[in-house]
C-alpha cells in the first residue's frame, strides 16, 4: 500500500467508523453520520491537496 | 415498525455503574481497545473499536512507522510517546517484540507514524466514552 489516496481512504474509513460509534446510537443515524464523516474526509482532503498544489514543497 | 425499533435503541436507558465498575471498565478500555465496552456489554461498540484500532496500529507498523519509546527530552518526543502509548497493551507488546522500529528513509514512514499516533489517540477517546457510559451520561 504505497498510494497516498489508498492510505487516505483507509485512514478516513477507520477514523470515521470509530467517531460514528462514539457519537451516535441507532443503525440509521450511524449509517448517515458515517457517510457524512467519510465523505467529508475524502472531499476535504482532495480539496486541500489541490489548494496546496501550487506550493513548492 | 422500523422507526419504533430505532427509537427504542436511541432511547435505551442510561445506567450508572458503581465507582469500582467504572474504574474496571476504564482500565480495561485503556489496556485493550474495546474491552471496556465489552465489560459493559456494549458489544457493537466493543467489536468496532477493537477491530478498527488494532487494524490502524498494525497498518502503521506495516507502513514502516515507528513506535516511539518513552523520551521526555523535548515536547514533541513526549507528545509522540503519549500518543503512541494510548494504544495500551498493543503499544507495549509492539515495543517488547521489537516491532515498529521504523525506517525514516521509507516512502511510507510518515504515514505509518500518523496511523500509529491516531490509533493511540482514538483509544484515549474510547476510554472517555467508556467512562461516560459507565457514569450513565450516555447509553
Amino acid at each position: 500500500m504505497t498510494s497516498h489516496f489508498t492510505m487516505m481512504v483507509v485512514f478516513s474509513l477507520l477514523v470515521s467508523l470509530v467517531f460514528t460509534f462514539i457519537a451516535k446510537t441507532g443503525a440509521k443515524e450511524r449509517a448517515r453520520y458515517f457517510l457524512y464523516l467519510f465523505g467529508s474526509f475524502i472531499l476535504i482532503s482532495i480539496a486541500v491537496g489541490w489548494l496546496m498544489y501550487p506550493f513548492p514543497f | 415498525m422500523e422507526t419504533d425499533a430505532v427509537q427504542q435503541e436511541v432511547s435505551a436507558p442510561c445506567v450508572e455503574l458503581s465507582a469500582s465498575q467504572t474504574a474496571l471498565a476504564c482500565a480495561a478500555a485503556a489496556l485493550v481497545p474495546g474491552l471496556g465496552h465489552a465489560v459493559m456489554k456494549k458489544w457493537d461498540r466493543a467489536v468496532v473499536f477493537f477491530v478498527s484500532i488494532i487494524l490502524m496500529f498494525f497498518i502503521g507498523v506495516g507502513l514502516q512507522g515507528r513506535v516511539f519509546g518513552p523520551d521526555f527530552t523535548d515536547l514533541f518526543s513526549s507528545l509522540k510517546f503519549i500518543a503512541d502509548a494510548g494504544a495500551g497493551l498493543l503499544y507495549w507488546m509492539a515495543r517488547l517484540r521489537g516491532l515498529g522500529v521504523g525506517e525514516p528513509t521509507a516512502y511510507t514512514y510518515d504515514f505509518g507514524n500518523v496511523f500509529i499516533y491516531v490509533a493511540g489517540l482514538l483509544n484515549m477517546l474510547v476510554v472517555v466514552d467508556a467512562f461516560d457510559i459507565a457514569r450513565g451520561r450516555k447509553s
Side-chain angles (χ1 to χ4, degrees):
Chain A
M1 186 166 66
T2 53
S3 153
H4 286 194
F5 186 73
T6 311
M7 284 189 268
M8 188 262 285
V9 169
V10 171
F11 181 87
S12 306
L13 192 83
L14 294 172
V15 174
S16 302
L17 205 56
V18 173
F19 278 173
T20 299
F21 274 77
I22 286 176
K24 301 290 177 189
T25 49
K28 254 187 182 173
E29 208 180 346
R30 277 177 177 166
R32 206 177 298 132
Y33 191 66
F34 171 76
L35 291 174
Y36 169 73
L37 270 184
F38 183 60
S40 303
F41 260 113
I42 301 292
L43 290 177
I44 292 171
S45 303
I46 291 172
V48 171
W50 273 101
L51 284 174
M52 291 197 304
Y53 191 68
F55 295 104
F57 291 123
Chain B
M1 185 69 92
E2 195 183 343
T3 316
D4 291 345
V6 171
Q7 193 63 37
Q8 271 184 342
E9 197 175 345
V10 170
S11 58
C14 299
V15 181
E16 187 175 346
L17 301 180
S18 67
S20 57
Q21 285 173 316
T22 303
L24 175 72
C26 291
L31 289 175
V32 179
L35 188 58
H37 289 79
V39 166
M40 295 184 288
K41 296 186 171 57
K42 302 284 180 190
W43 302 112
D44 53 349
R45 290 181 193 204
V47 170
V48 167
F49 296 152
F50 182 79
V51 172
S52 302
I53 292 173
I54 286 183
L55 204 57
M56 197 148 201
F57 188 87
F58 283 109
I59 288 174
V61 171
L63 290 173
Q64 304 198 38
R66 183 174 167 196
V67 177
F68 289 89
D71 175 9
F72 299 99
T73 50
D74 63 83
L75 178 65
F76 284 111
S77 302
S78 311
L79 291 176
K80 285 173 184 177
F81 163 67
I82 291 167
D84 283 3
L89 283 182
L90 264 183
Y91 170 85
W92 295 106
M93 278 170 56
R95 290 282 300 171
L96 291 174
R97 295 187 69 90
L99 295 173
V101 178
E103 175 51 64
T105 58
Y107 175 67
T108 54
Y109 174 70
D110 285 327
F111 293 96
N113 284 345
V114 170
F115 270 84
I116 297 169
Y117 299 146
V118 174
L121 295 172
L122 283 177
N123 197 40
M124 291 181 194
L125 275 180
V126 167
V127 174
V128 174
D129 187 60
F131 178 79
D132 280 343
I133 293 171
R135 298 314 293 162
R137 292 177 186 162
K138 62 191 284 195
S139 58

